[in-house]
Amino acid sequence: MAFPILTAQEAAEVINNGDNLGLSGFTAAGTPKVVTEALAKKAEKEHAEGRPFKVNIFTGASTNDHVDGALARANAIDKRTPYQSSADLRKRINSHDANYFDLHLSELAQKLRYGTFGDIDVAIIEAAHVSDNGEILLGTGVGMAPTVAKMAKKIIIELNEAIPTSVEGLHDIYMPLDPPYRREIPIYKPNDRIGSTLLKVDPAKIVGIVKTNITDGVHGFSPLDDVTKQIGANVCDFLIGELRRGAIPASFLPLQSGVGNIANAVLFGLGESKEVPAFDMYTEVIQDAVVDLMEKGKCRFASTCSMTFSDAKMTEVFNNIDFFRDKILMRPGEISNSPEIVRRLGVITMNTALEADIFGNINSTHVVGTKMMNGIGGSGDFTRNAYISIFSCPSTAKGGLISTIVPMVSHLDHSEHSVDVLITDQGIADLRGKSPVQRAETIIENCVNPEYKPLLRDYLKLSQAGGHTPHSLNAALGFHSTFAAEGDMRKTDWSKFA
Ligand code: 0RQ
């Protein structure tokens, strides 16, 4: 092999304080696993000797504990974008130890190429194979690998022997031209292949190969609880209703679904439905449920950025790879999440809210308005350009102490203009074509938990004089301030906000 074999520690020595690091992968899938652990140890040693050591991390989406967890625990992250889901990093972000900025996933690769955030000093790319001339067979996720490999001054390959080379053919590597030379991205059907199966990099930039044998370590799903099942059933009922009235073509449309138990429940419900025909997905992540749907013939094809499967499911897929070869294409995030393609294909999008307000604005990211949860992820890329955009969430959180439907969202990620339908365990609010007051009435009657309905009906009365989108500016965040003071939004007393 043309490239030196390095230990993770030797590879970490290539990385300096203040470097911009670009990583392959999207979620835990396809994300490096050993060099960042060694880097965290190096940072701890530097800190112990009184020297500063932090790096800036640019990735496709969230990562894994080997990256965000290890580096956050070592307090070795300065800038971080565009999405994360690590409890340790979340603490660093909310205490201002790490400077996180939240970004639509489709935008980061192009913003890097535009020069917005400076150079990429080192790219760490997980691979199933690399040839002497620099052709890389990526692993279970792509993320921003093409862009960071192109921009990086140095490339470290993590050659992961847990990934069989039979994954060749599942990737579709394509990089759009940048303005002012940009043309359309030529995807007209979800399964149109537009790029190459391998990522070609300049071999002179590869400083070495670190061998690993570590799986992505994605956990399986917990059994669906009644609330999640009910949300899934409500989303299915809505989609079947649209199909029956002809608002969705009989051949159906491609689906995007976010991550987590609700997305899993929705896909499970669609798989069970006799009325929903076999469908395609144009999405950013596929999880275990999609494998089952493919095996049942219900999902024909999925365009994605990663295969975020549990280890058991991944083994099943690797063992039966020829069955999946024409059913999955993994693309860079700027293609899997491309607003242009989402709008062209008519993608029906399904994402999760932390909180929604009675007018249909969505907070996906900030717990009680200030504490970062994960980030906006790809939800905005899809929502804003959807054929129909759906948000769902349980009607309450923390055992009922929090109503997820509030008078005014405490942080805004998706505005009322982009949100078509809101669905909770209580029911469905179709917001399309409704004025703000009509939306509020529909959301309160159909989606709000019974314990909170009287309070929100009273809020609407209290604010009725207030114009097109009526609010009482004193009381608009009354649920949140009551929760902060008394730990229970049900104790809200509007007379205190008069
Ligand atoms: O808290 O963890 O302490 O139990 O928030 O809530 O209901 O378990 O939901 O795991 O599906 O996450 C929006 C965060 C939902 C996620 C979000 C508390 C609740 C619980 C988690 P605990 P659930 P999920 C695909 C597309 C944005 C990006 C996106 C997300 C915890 O779906 O990050 O959609 N989405 N990307 O108790 C205070 C509220 C709350 C609340 C819930 N209103 N106030 N706490 N919680 N509602 C992904 C990618 O782009 C890769």
Side-chain angles (χ1 to χ4, degrees), residues 83 105 259 284 352 354 367 373-379 398 402:
Y83 185 74
L105 299 186
V259 287
E284 58 187 353
T352 313
L354 273 180
V367 174
M373 182 75 180
N374 300 331
I376 194 168
S379 53
K398 305 290 175 207
I402 288 176

Side-chain angles (χ1 to χ4, degrees), residues 12-83:
E13 285 309 313
V14 170
I15 298 164
N16 297 310
N17 178 40
D19 274 0
N20 278 350
L21 303 190
L23 271 46
S24 65
F26 195 91
T27 69
T31 297
K33 298 171 175 71
V34 292
V35 176
T36 46
E37 293 261 9
L39 188 64
K41 291 209 173 69
K42 174 176 168 173
E44 279 164 0
K45 192 163 168 283
E46 291 290 300
H47 295 165
E49 289 167 12
R51 286 186 292 273
F53 193 96
K54 281 191 176 185
V55 291
N56 305 314
I57 304 282
F58 299 90
T59 63
S62 54
T63 64
N64 54 26
D65 195 62
H66 310 289
V67 176
D68 283 332
L71 290 170
R73 287 189 290 276
N75 200 9
I77 300 181
D78 181 3
K79 283 198 184 75
R80 179 72 178 90
T81 196
Y83 185 74

Side-chain angles (χ1 to χ4, degrees), residues 313-392:
K313 199 54 87 175
M314 193 68 87
T315 304
E316 198 180 313
V317 170
F318 287 161
N319 288 342
N320 197 11
I321 198 87
D322 287 334
F323 172 80
F324 293 98
R325 201 172 296 287
D326 63 350
K327 295 180 182 64
I328 296 174
L329 274 185
M330 286 182 276
R331 315 185 201 261
E334 64 185 318
I335 307 298
S336 64
N337 289 29
S338 161
E340 169 194 338
I341 309 298
V342 171
R343 191 165 284 203
R344 179 180 301 142
L345 299 182
V347 179
I348 297 170
T349 68
M350 302 180 287
N351 291 288
T352 313
L354 273 180
E355 96 183 345
D357 70 26
I358 53 175
F359 300 108
N361 299 291
I362 301 290
N363 169 11
S364 293
T365 58
H366 282 72
V367 174
V368 206
T370 60
K371 292 218 161 43
M372 173 54 72
M373 182 75 180
N374 300 331
I376 194 168
S379 53
D381 294 326
F382 286 95
T383 294
R384 178 73 183 92
N385 301 289
Y387 185 91
I388 304 172
S389 68
I390 302 170
F391 272 94
S392 55

